[in-house]
Amino acid sequence: MKRNELLGFSKTGRAIRVIVSHITMLLAVLVLVLFVIDHVNDAMQFMSSRLSMWVIAILALSAFESAVPNLILHDARAFGTVISAHTCLLAGGVLMLFALEMINGAPGPLSSRTARWIVAVLALFALVTAVSNIVALWDNPDKRRRRRTHGGSGGEN
Amino acid sequence: MKNFNAKKIFLVVTADVLLFAILLLGFAWFHHARPKRGLESMQSFFNATPRPVSQVSPTPVMTEAPTPEPTETASASPEPGASETPAAPTEPPTPEPTTEPTPVYMDGLLGGKYAEKFTDGEVIYTDSVYRSANVCIEISDQEIRVKPDPGSSYTVPVHYYLADIYIHDITSLRCGISQSSNHKDRVEDLCNQNNGIVATSGDYFIFHSSGLAIRNGELYRDSLHPDQDVCVLYQDGTMETYLKGQVDLEYIYSKMPYHAWSFGPRLLENGLPMTQFNTSVETWNPRCAIGYYEPGHYCLIVVDGRQEPDYSYGLKMGDLSQLMYDLGCTEAYNLDGGMTAMMAFNGSIISRPCGGGRQNCDIVYVAEPLN
């Protein structure tokens, strides 16, 4: 029931969620890769350059976009809700740091070592949120309903 | 149905992997392979006004100093309009202070010390020494043995090249920037293009998006990187290193910087070796560093590495700090190492960089003074 609620979006809304989740997943993996490289050699500035700041900001936005619907729809799966809530919090924090950085116009709070860890944790949470969304949205409820109506083999649920 | 799902999953995963590869390559290209814009100089701290070569100058040229005491040489420099004309080695236009034709900057940065290192005007250029009236460079090639850990019972070989540098004029210690389209050249090529005598890799500043960058008295970037220590060589020949978070740009600018490097970390604190560094690359690596003894006396060091077990392991940051201390430096700063760590002398690479070395965007080099 909850899953149907979660998937109870219009066709376009569902497609957007799928795309955003994929973008979040890709950006999260990218940021995690950058974090690992930066940890090995920070002289390359893979986590503190201007370009990285923008990548991190886009990740935070897409993670927010991926996680918020899960909270609004009150997904019953506690794990998913907790992860989504944390993703939202972290994404909001990172976006605030990004805004401060932009206002400063110079490397600031988001370039610090602590912020890098926060970003890495956000990327991890965003990755879990995105993957769980992709899995949850995998099966199209309309098609499943149609299959059931027309005597098809039905979905896996 | 299961077959259809498997196909769909395979397609989606493949598309994701491809997209990720494109994303990663795109990021790497824009972040690291393409030079940063805005390479033009923003501000000049140095006015390379040509001087007659025979003019003995008690202090290096310092013009437009914001400090209340202007130097004597500033008033003695030629008219601004004549600044484009290079100094003629013969027939000095201002005969006033000329007594002896050489040495040129006898009372320069070194204040008359180490006179035996310089010549009366002839140039001696061998495989390991360069001597002239203004510059003395002594190259040595050393092998030391280092314990992998303090408690280890064995040692490993480490090979390094040391350029001991004595200069009378600060303009002898310069930085070269690659002018090629991709801003990358090999150290020896950059050295030869700039008529350098000895050169090592710089701090790769063109490909970084932040970090104070001053080269040859020209300010290229004034944004500080929050995690990088800064090294500044001033026009009076002194060198100072600053820990991250303790960099005061106003102070630096007021002291007339000639170079500022942002790579690091700082290697000595109050002249003593350090154990904690602002870097994540503390382990064994090829290294490049600049050391300071006193105004006019510096050293450039390149430590070969990643060529174990017989030749050279490279150095940990702590060991490099200890080495700079053992050499007698009072300030020392780590520059770009790894495959980039190379030393060129007499027109060719003399160190043994791992993998043959690679191209770089900037070098630190020593040459005859500009004026």
Side-chain angles (χ1 to χ4, degrees):
Chain A
M1 171 243 180
K2 290 292 174 192
R3 184 170 175 186
N4 284 342
E5 272 182 23
L6 183 70
L7 303 177
F9 280 92
S10 66
K11 209 172 178 180
T12 319
R14 185 177 166 279
I16 290 170
R17 285 198 71 199
V18 171
I19 291 167
V20 169
S21 295
H22 276 277
I23 291 170
T24 308
M25 183 180 72
L26 294 177
L27 287 174
V29 176
L30 177 67
V31 167
L32 286 172
V33 168
L34 298 183
F35 177 75
V36 171
I37 295 174
D38 187 75
H39 211 67
V40 174
N41 188 353
D42 59 2
M44 296 173 92
Q45 299 188 346
F46 268 134
M47 284 291 278
S48 53
S49 69
R50 201 118 286 243
L51 182 62
S52 315
M53 297 292 132
W54 280 102
V55 169
I56 290 164
I58 296 168
L59 166 69
L61 270 176
S62 65
F64 207 76
E65 173 68 23
S66 299
V68 161
N70 294 354
L71 296 177
I72 294 171
L73 291 165
H74 299 297
D75 191 345
R77 290 168 296 182
F79 177 72
T81 312
V82 169
I83 292 283
S84 296
H86 280 83
T87 306
C88 283
L89 274 173
L90 286 164
V94 168
L95 282 171
M96 272 174 61
L97 289 177
F98 177 74
L100 282 173
E101 188 104 4
M102 287 295 115
I103 291 165
N104 282 347
L110 198 50
S111 310
S112 67
R113 214 157 269 187
T114 317
R116 283 178 223 174
W117 277 100
I118 293 171
V119 169
V121 175
L122 164 69
L124 209 60
F125 275 78
L127 183 63
V128 174
T129 305
V131 170
S132 63
N133 278 2
I134 290 166
V135 171
L137 292 162
W138 183 259
D139 198 21
N140 188 333
D142 297 334
K143 281 184 184 171
R144 197 176 53 209
R145 213 174 297 129
R146 237 178 286 137
R147 279 199 298 272
R148 276 186 193 146
T149 316
H150 297 293
S153 58
E156 61 271 28
N157 294 338
Chain B
M1 190 63 213
K2 270 186 181 174
N3 192 24
F4 171 74
N5 250 349
K7 263 186 189 173
K8 201 176 162 189
I9 290 169
F10 177 76
L11 279 173
V12 169
V13 170
T14 309
D16 276 343
V17 169
L18 279 173
L19 279 172
F20 179 70
I22 292 166
L23 199 63
L24 195 61
L25 288 173
F27 183 91
W29 165 252
F30 284 106
H31 184 278
H32 229 71
R34 206 182 66 150
K36 298 286 174 287
R37 280 179 294 172
L39 250 185
E40 63 278 4
S41 167
M42 296 157 62
Q43 184 185 339
S44 176
F45 295 100
F46 186 76
N47 186 0
T49 310
R51 294 180 296 181
V53 287
S54 58
Q55 184 178 334
V56 178
S57 157
T59 52
V61 176
M62 279 198 289
T63 54
E64 297 174 29
T67 45
E69 295 172 16
T71 58
E72 294 296 322
T73 50
S75 59
S77 60
E79 293 286 311
S83 63
E84 294 301 314
T85 51
T90 56
E91 293 184 341
T94 47
E96 194 182 353
T98 309
T99 49
E100 298 287 329
T102 55
V104 179
Y105 299 118
M106 198 175 71
D107 295 327
L109 296 175
L110 289 164
K113 282 194 280 183
Y114 305 109
E116 73 282 3
K117 300 279 183 188
F118 301 92
T119 66
D120 289 339
E122 62 171 327
V123 174
I124 300 168
Y125 209 161
T126 69
D127 285 345
S128 60
V129 172
Y130 177 94
R131 283 186 215 283
S132 74
N134 305 308
V135 176
C136 170
I137 300 165
E138 294 169 342
I139 303 287
S140 56
D141 163 8
Q142 311 272 348
E143 186 181 295
I144 52 172
R145 297 197 71 87
V146 176
K147 282 186 177 181
D149 295 300
S152 297
S153 56
Y154 64 100
T155 56
V156 296
V158 176
H159 218 104
Y160 71 86
Y161 292 81
L162 174 73
D164 203 10
I165 298 158
Y166 301 84
I167 54 173
H168 282 316
D169 190 284
I170 194 67
T171 60
S172 286
L173 183 49
R174 298 201 289 271
C175 287
I177 301 170
S178 171
Q179 301 298 325
S180 58
S181 56
N182 63 352
H183 284 290
K184 282 186 177 176
D185 277 302
R186 286 186 62 89
V187 167
E188 66 270 34
D189 294 336
L190 279 172
C191 182
N192 293 336
Q193 285 164 22
N194 290 285
N195 296 320
I197 303 155
V198 66
T200 62
S201 50
D203 66 354
Y204 208 64
F205 79 102
I206 296 175
F207 293 89
H208 289 163
S209 56
S210 61
L212 183 64
I214 300 172
R215 297 291 182 276
N216 308 319
E218 304 281 325
L219 176 67
Y220 285 86
R221 189 170 54 220
D222 63 354
S223 66
L224 293 172
H225 189 282
D227 282 331
Q228 280 180 340
D229 300 342
V230 171
C231 174
V232 185
L233 178 68
Y234 293 100
Q235 291 180 26
D236 62 2
T238 57
M239 192 170 99
E240 291 178 7
T241 54
Y242 307 97
L243 287 174
K244 65 168 185 176
Q246 297 176 4
V247 187
D248 183 350
L249 287 179
E250 292 302 316
Y251 171 78
I252 290 172
Y253 296 163
S254 71
K255 281 191 72 182
M256 302 301 287
Y258 191 57
H259 299 300
W261 295 282
S262 293
F263 198 91
R266 172 196 210 181
L267 295 170
L268 297 174
E269 190 167 18
N270 300 322
L272 297 172
M274 296 166 65
T275 50
Q276 300 283 324
F277 303 94
N278 290 324
T279 182
S280 60
V281 198
E282 283 197 43
T283 189
W284 304 98
N285 247 318
R287 302 284 181 190
C288 176
I290 183 166
Y292 165 78
Y293 301 92
E294 58 189 314
H297 187 192
Y298 314 91
C299 71
L300 287 169
I301 188 166
V302 165
V303 181
D304 286 337
R306 298 180 192 163
Q307 294 170 73
E308 52 268 24
D310 299 325
Y311 178 61
S312 185
Y313 277 64
L315 278 181
K316 290 181 180 177
M317 204 60 84
D319 294 327
L320 181 64
S321 174
Q322 184 64 46
L323 176 62
M324 299 308 275
Y325 173 75
D326 293 341
L327 289 171
C329 297
T330 54
E331 291 278 9
Y333 189 76
N334 181 58
L335 294 168
D336 194 3
M339 271 179 82
T340 319
M342 294 189 274
M343 182 178 282
F345 180 72
N346 205 353
S348 57
I349 293 292
I350 55 167
S351 60
R352 259 174 62 177
C354 61
R358 65 179 162 201
Q359 293 182 320
N360 194 3
C361 63
D362 66 315
I363 57 165
V364 180
Y365 70 97
V366 180
E368 287 295 328
L370 281 177
N371 302 320

